[in-house]
Amino acid sequence: MVYEENKTEAVEMRHIISILLENEAGALSRVAGLFSARAYNIESLTVAPTDDPSLSRMTLVTTGTDEIVEQVCKQLNKLVDVVKLVNLTDDVHVERELILIKLVAEDERRDEVKRIMDIFHGHVIDMTDTTYTVEVTGDSEKIDAVLKALEHITMLEVVRSGQLGMARGDKGIV
Amino acid sequence: MELTGAEIIIECLKAEDIDYVFGYPGGAVLHIYDAFYKQDDVQHILVRHEQGATHAADGYARATGKPGVVLVTSGPGATNAVTGIATAYMDSIPMIVITGQVPKHLIGNDAFQEVDSVGITRPIVKHNFLINDVNDIAETFKKAFYVATTGRPGPVVIDIPKDITAEKVAFEYPSEINMRSYNPAVVADEGQIKKAVELMVKAERPMIYSGGGVIIGNGSEQLRTFTRSLGYPITQTLMGLGAFPASDPLSVGMLGMHGTYEANMGMHHSDLLIAIGARFDDRVTGALEKFCPDAKIIHIDIDPASISKNVKVDVPIVGEVTQVLDAVNALLEKAAEKTNKGAIEKWWAQINEWRAQDCLKYDRESEIIKPQFVIEELHKVTNGDAYITSDVGQHQMFAAQYYGFDKPRRWINSGGLGTMGFGLPAALGVKLAFPNEEVACITGESSIQMCLQELSTCKQYGLPIKIINLNNGYMGMVRQWQEFFYEKRYAMSYFDALPDFVALAESYGHVGIKVEKTADVRPALEEAFKQKDRLVFLDFITDREENVYPMIPSGAGLNEMILV
C-alpha cells in the first residue's frame, strides 16, 4: 500500500519556458503578475528585446507538477501580449546562464582563482589589489559547481543572469 | 478634418455602435465630457458612484450581448470602478472602461487624483492599455473592442492622459485589426467531436452540465436541440440559467452548493458528464476528490485554460459553443437513435426518484412571508418573462432556485465575484436596453444599501424598475453560515439601524410599498407592475431565519447535501 500511495503523488519538476512577447510597457508585469496572482513559482526570469525590436524574448524557469505547468503555459498564452510560448523542457534544448562573482583574492588566492577559472572556462574581467571579478557561463549545474569550487573563498558579491534557453535543431520559435 | 482626442473617442464609440456610456465626470476627463456635450449620438448616463457605472454597463452587456461602456475620471474614479471591473472579469462580460489619467508629464509624480490605473486593474481585465499618443487612440479603441468581445469576452481598460484628449489629429477608424499576439478564432477538432459523440451515444447515466458560456456564446438554440435530441437530463450552473428552459422536463435545475437534490445526485452518479461552457467552479464541484467519481468527462469551452484546470477532462473540445454544438448536432441526427434506451430509461427513473424528494419544498402556509414565496409569486405576476437582476446572498439563491428562467440573458447576477451592490445598477442598465420589458431587481436589505445611490440615477432617466427587497434584517447568507458552522454566533451579520425603505424610496421620488403578510404579497406585486412608469421599491418583511436548502457544506461531495 505504501508504494502505491507514493506512486500517485504528483512529481514537481523544473520547467524552462521560452516566451516571445510584445516589447511593450507593462508586458513584463503582466507575466510577473500572473505568477504572483496564481501562486506559481518563478525560479528565474530573463527578458530583453530580440533582433526584432518590437519583440522581447523571455526565458522563465518554474517548478511544478505537469498539471500546474500546463496551466501556467495556458494562462501565459492567454495574455494578450504573449505572441508565442514554447516549453523547452519537452524537447532537447540548450541552456546557458552567466554568473559574475566579486571575490577577495590576495596572495596565493590570486593564482588559485585563476586556476579555478581555467577549469571552468571562466575569465577574470576586473581586478583590484585585493579582489577579482570573474565571469563564468554554462548551464545551471556548471554554475552551481563553480560556486561550490569557490565556496572557501570570501565572495563579496554574486549576480546570476538566470537561464537563457533555446531548442536544439534548425527550427526557430516562430 | 482634424479632431481632438476627446472627439475621436466619441467617434470611436459611434463607429462601434455604442448607444450608452455610463460614467461620472472629473478633472482628467473634462475634455471628453465637453465632447459629449456637443453631440447627441452617444447618450451619457450619469450614475451616482463609479461602481454603479460599471455594474450598469455590465447589466446592459449581459442583457444585450453588446459590450458595456464606462467612462470615469482618474484616481478615485478609477479605483471606484475596480469592483465592477472585477465583477465583469469573473463572469467574462465584454466591457470597455475608459479611465482618465493625469497629463503625461505628471504621470508617476504622485499628482492630484493620480493612480496607476493600468497597474491596479491588470489582474482583473482581459487586457488594458495606456495611450501615450493622440495618434494611437483610434487603433487602441478598435483593439479594445476586438479583445473585449471576441473569444472568451472580458473587460478592457483604456487609460487616457488628459493632455492627449485635447490634442488634434486626423481621425480614421481602422476597418479591421490584426493582432499577432491575439487570435481568438479557434476551430474545434473534428476528431474530438466524433469521440465525444461516441461517448454520448454509449452513455448509461449521462448528465449535461451547462454554464454561462452557453449564454455568452449565444448557444441557447443549439443547446436545446442538443439536449432534446438526446433526451438526457440537463443541469445548469448559476451563470447558465435560462440557456435551457427551466420548465422543460429534461431540466433538473441548478447544481452546486445550493443546487437541487436531483441535479447534484445526478452529477455524482453519472457515468458521462457533458460540460458545456462551464468552468468547474468550486461552488459547483464541492470537494474535488469526491467529484463525479464514475464519470468520463467531455468539456466544451472557448478557453483552453478552462480545460482540466480543476478537474481532469477526458475529451476536451476547444471552440465556440455554437460551432461545436452545431457539429455535434449534425452527427447526432443519425447517431441519436443509437442511444442506450433501456439504460437511459432506468437512469430517468432514478432521477425522478431523487426529484420526488422535492428538495425545494418550504412552508407555503406560513403567515410570515417566506422569501421563496415572493419569488414564486413574482414569477407568476411577470409570466416568468421579466429580466431579473440580483445582488448576492440568500435572495440570489432563492431567485435562482424559484424563478425558473426559460430564456437566456434574463437572469443577471454576479456569479463569480459575488458582488453585493450589483443588482440595482445592473437593473438600470438592463432597463435602458429594454425599456418595454419588465425589469426587477431581487435584493436584500444588506445588498441594496451597497449601491443605493443609483435610485437617484433611475429617477433622472425615468427607469421604472421594480425592486424586490427581501428584508429579513440579517445578512442572510452570512447568518446562515454562522447558524450552521459557528453555533449561531451572529457576529456582525445584522444591522441595528435599518432605514425606512418606503420613506427612502419616496425621498428619491419613487414609490415605496412595505409588505408584511403573506396574503399581501401577490396584490403588492400586481400593484407594483401596474405602475408602468414608476420605480416601485417593494420592502418585503420576510422570515428572519429562513435558510437556503439544499446546501453542500464546504469540503463535502455533491452527494452530501443538507436537505430541509
Side-chain angles (χ1 to χ4, degrees):
Chain A
M1 276 313 282
V2 172
Y3 294 108
E4 268 183 32
E5 276 175 16
N6 283 345
K7 240 196 293 182
T8 57
E9 242 174 53
V11 188
E12 291 215 348
M13 276 212 353
R14 172 182 177 278
H15 288 255
I16 178 161
I17 298 165
S18 202
I19 304 162
L20 267 187
L21 72 166
E22 298 286 353
N23 186 10
E24 276 176 15
L28 172 62
S29 44
R30 281 181 220 284
V31 173
L34 177 72
F35 275 74
S36 58
R38 293 189 181 267
Y40 303 144
N41 297 315
I42 298 183
E43 276 193 6
S44 76
L45 184 158
T46 69
V47 59
T50 64
D51 54 322
D52 174 352
S54 72
L55 286 173
S56 291
R57 173 89 175 238
M58 175 184 281
T59 310
L60 196 151
V61 178
T62 181
T63 51
T65 61
D66 286 352
E67 285 76 30
I68 287 180
V69 173
E70 193 187 328
Q71 257 302 305
V72 169
C73 291
K74 283 174 173 174
Q75 293 292 347
L76 283 168
N77 254 323
K78 255 175 90 167
L79 295 177
V80 169
D81 284 334
V82 170
V83 179
K84 175 92 183 170
L85 178 150
V86 176
N87 187 343
L88 295 173
T89 328
D90 298 340
D91 233 320
V92 283
H93 63 277
V94 287
E95 289 181 28
R96 282 295 176 272
E97 185 175 6
L98 169 68
I99 188 169
L100 299 178
I101 310 167
K102 187 182 286 179
L103 27 77
V104 175
E106 290 172 309
D107 311 323
E108 67 273 17
R109 286 274 192 247
R110 291 180 91 78
D111 277 344
E112 188 189 347
V113 169
K114 288 201 70 174
R115 276 200 305 279
I116 294 172
M117 284 305 105
D118 282 347
I119 292 166
F120 287 97
H121 301 290
H123 305 281
V124 178
I125 56 171
D126 189 32
M127 59 173 288
T128 66
D129 289 349
T130 55
T131 66
Y132 274 160
T133 300
V134 300
E135 71 167 346
V136 183
T137 59
D139 57 21
S140 38
E141 272 180 31
K142 178 177 166 186
I143 302 299
D144 291 343
V146 172
L147 281 171
K148 187 130 180 49
L150 296 170
E151 211 171 36
H152 60 290
I153 301 173
T154 310
M155 293 184 224
L156 299 173
E157 222 182 313
V158 175
V159 55
R160 298 174 72 151
S161 66
Q163 298 292 317
L164 299 177
M166 200 176 258
R168 284 189 186 274
D170 55 6
K171 278 188 226 110
I173 191 171
V174 267
Chain B
M1 197 182 91
E2 293 204 328
L3 300 178
T4 66
E7 288 162 345
I8 288 173
I9 291 168
I10 304 272
E11 290 304 315
C12 292
L13 297 176
K14 277 160 65 177
E16 292 289 344
D17 207 18
I18 298 304
D19 37 14
Y20 293 109
V21 169
F22 301 88
Y24 202 102
V29 285
L30 281 178
H31 295 315
I32 306 176
Y33 273 86
D34 197 44
F36 264 104
Y37 191 82
K38 294 172 183 162
Q39 57 86 48
D40 292 318
D41 297 312
V42 186
Q43 199 192 342
H44 180 276
I45 303 297
L46 176 67
V47 294
R48 298 300 183 265
H49 184 292
E50 288 88 349
Q51 184 183 348
T54 51
H55 293 330
D58 185 329
Y60 175 92
R62 290 179 202 238
T64 61
K66 289 168 64 180
V69 181
V70 175
L71 171 60
V72 297
T73 193
S74 63
T79 55
N80 279 347
V82 162
T83 300
I85 298 170
T87 303
Y89 180 67
M90 288 292 277
D91 291 341
S92 308
I93 305 303
M95 186 190 279
I96 302 292
V97 181
I98 305 162
T99 55
Q101 185 52 276
V102 300
K104 266 193 300 183
H105 70 276
L106 286 177
I107 289 181
N109 204 34
D110 301 323
F112 176 64
Q113 292 196 328
E114 182 192 359
V115 293
D116 175 9
S117 301
V118 166
I120 286 175
T121 59
R122 189 173 295 127
I124 51 163
V125 293
K126 187 168 173 189
H127 197 56
N128 56 18
F129 299 91
L130 169 63
I131 302 183
N132 277 309
D133 187 330
V134 65
N135 289 293
D136 295 341
I137 293 179
E139 195 187 321
T140 305
F141 269 75
K142 183 76 185 176
K143 279 185 185 171
F145 275 97
Y146 174 55
V147 170
T149 56
T150 51
R152 179 177 177 174
V156 173
V157 167
I158 309 173
D159 200 26
I160 308 179
K162 181 174 186 179
D163 47 340
I164 285 177
T165 57
E167 289 169 16
K168 280 190 163 186
V169 71
F171 169 72
E172 195 191 343
Y173 201 61
S175 57
E176 56 185 285
I177 202 90
N178 183 25
M179 295 170 74
R180 63 180 170 187
S181 59
Y182 177 71
N183 298 301
V186 279
V187 180
D189 186 89
E190 269 181 52
Q192 291 291 89
I193 290 178
K194 276 194 192 136
K195 221 158 124 191
V197 170
E198 276 167 31
L199 285 177
M200 289 171 190
V201 172
K202 273 195 287 192
E204 297 185 355
R205 300 185 309 281
M207 182 60 81
I208 301 167
Y209 147 49
S210 85
V214 179
I215 290 173
I216 294 164
N218 297 314
S220 252
E221 276 311 312
Q222 284 85 349
L223 179 72
R224 287 163 196 226
T225 308
F226 169 70
T227 307
R228 285 168 183 158
S229 74
L230 284 169
Y232 290 173
I234 178 171
T235 177
Q236 300 178 85
T237 68
L238 178 69
M239 295 310 297
L241 297 177
F244 190 85
S247 57
D248 189 300
L250 296 177
S251 164
V252 295
M254 185 169 75
L255 80 164
M257 184 171 274
H258 294 295
T260 66
Y261 188 64
E262 51 270 34
N264 286 336
M265 292 299 276
M267 289 286 288
H268 185 81
H269 292 278
S270 67
D271 72 342
L272 179 70
L273 189 58
I274 307 163
I276 310 171
R279 60 185 179 90
F280 297 84
D281 174 80
D282 58 282
R283 287 295 198 257
V284 157
T285 60
L288 281 175
E289 64 277 12
K290 298 176 189 169
F291 180 72
C292 295
D294 306 324
K296 282 221 182 296
I297 302 176
I298 298 166
H299 189 186
I300 300 166
D301 207 287
I302 187 91
D303 178 10
S306 278
I307 307 272
S308 294
K309 184 173 71 177
N310 304 330
V311 173
K312 192 103 184 96
V313 167
D314 299 285
V315 185
I317 302 175
V318 178
E320 286 185 16
V321 63
T322 47
Q323 180 237 328
V324 174
L325 286 184
D326 278 339
V328 170
N329 288 340
L331 290 177
L332 283 178
E333 270 181 32
K334 283 193 186 142
E337 49 191 66
K338 294 185 200 143
T339 52
N340 190 337
K341 305 276 178 315
I344 299 299
E345 209 170 293
K346 248 174 80 185
W347 179 228
W348 270 113
Q350 172 65 73
I351 287 171
N352 287 330
E353 205 174 289
W354 288 324
R355 214 178 227 165
Q357 178 86 25
D358 192 12
C359 68
L360 295 181
K361 62 179 174 270
Y362 65 91
D363 179 10
R364 286 187 165 79
E365 309 301 314
S366 165
E367 273 186 38
I368 302 167
I369 300 174
K370 289 287 183 181
Q372 301 95 321
F373 179 74
V374 178
I375 309 289
E376 286 188 333
E377 292 300 293
L378 175 67
H379 183 274
K380 288 176 197 155
V381 170
T382 57
N383 299 315
D385 205 30
Y387 283 83
I388 303 290
T389 72
S390 97
D391 276 302
V392 170
Q394 286 188 324
H395 66 267
Q396 176 190 26
M397 292 300 117
F398 288 134
Q401 292 174 327
Y402 293 90
Y403 191 82
F405 294 90
D406 280 345
K407 293 179 185 170
R409 299 194 180 280
R410 288 293 204 274
W411 167 235
I412 287 157
N413 82 125
S414 164
L417 195 68
T419 308
M420 290 170 73
F422 175 81
L424 170 57
L428 173 176
V430 177
K431 190 69 184 173
L432 274 166
F434 298 108
N436 299 321
E437 303 280 342
E438 296 295 1
V439 180
C441 165
I442 297 174
T443 183
E445 83 292 334
S446 312
S447 281
I448 191 70
Q449 293 190 81
M450 283 214 184
C451 271
L452 189 61
Q453 72 286 346
E454 302 308 332
L455 283 175
S456 177
T457 310
C458 292
K459 182 66 187 170
Q460 179 170 347
Y461 296 98
L463 301 171
I465 57 175
K466 311 301 174 209
I467 294 172
I468 314 297
N469 189 38
L470 300 178
N471 184 348
N472 59 5
Y474 278 113
M475 289 159 221
M477 191 59 91
V478 173
R479 189 208 55 75
Q480 178 171 340
W481 280 58
Q482 289 170 335
E483 177 188 331
F484 286 10
F485 311 120
Y486 297 89
E487 295 166 330
K488 294 197 176 188
R489 291 187 299 276
Y490 295 159
M492 295 296 141
S493 54
Y494 60 94
F495 294 100
D496 271 334
L498 279 176
D500 172 346
F501 284 109
V502 170
L504 185 74
E506 285 169 356
S507 80
Y508 277 106
H510 301 307
V511 179
I513 303 175
K514 187 170 184 170
V515 189
E516 293 178 276
K517 285 203 294 272
T518 300
D520 296 337
V521 169
R522 182 67 174 261
L525 282 166
E526 280 169 354
E527 169 61 25
F529 282 95
K530 234 181 264 166
Q531 304 214 25
K532 290 282 174 211
D533 56 348
R534 300 297 298 277
L535 183 152
V536 183
F537 192 116
L538 288 152
D539 188 23
F540 291 99
I541 308 304
T542 62
D543 189 345
R544 287 176 62 77
E545 300 202 20
E546 183 57 288
N547 288 321
V548 181
Y549 292 110
M551 179 174 183
I552 299 170
S554 22
L558 291 185
N559 59 333
E560 299 170 306
M561 274 159 284
I562 304 172
L563 295 168
V564 189

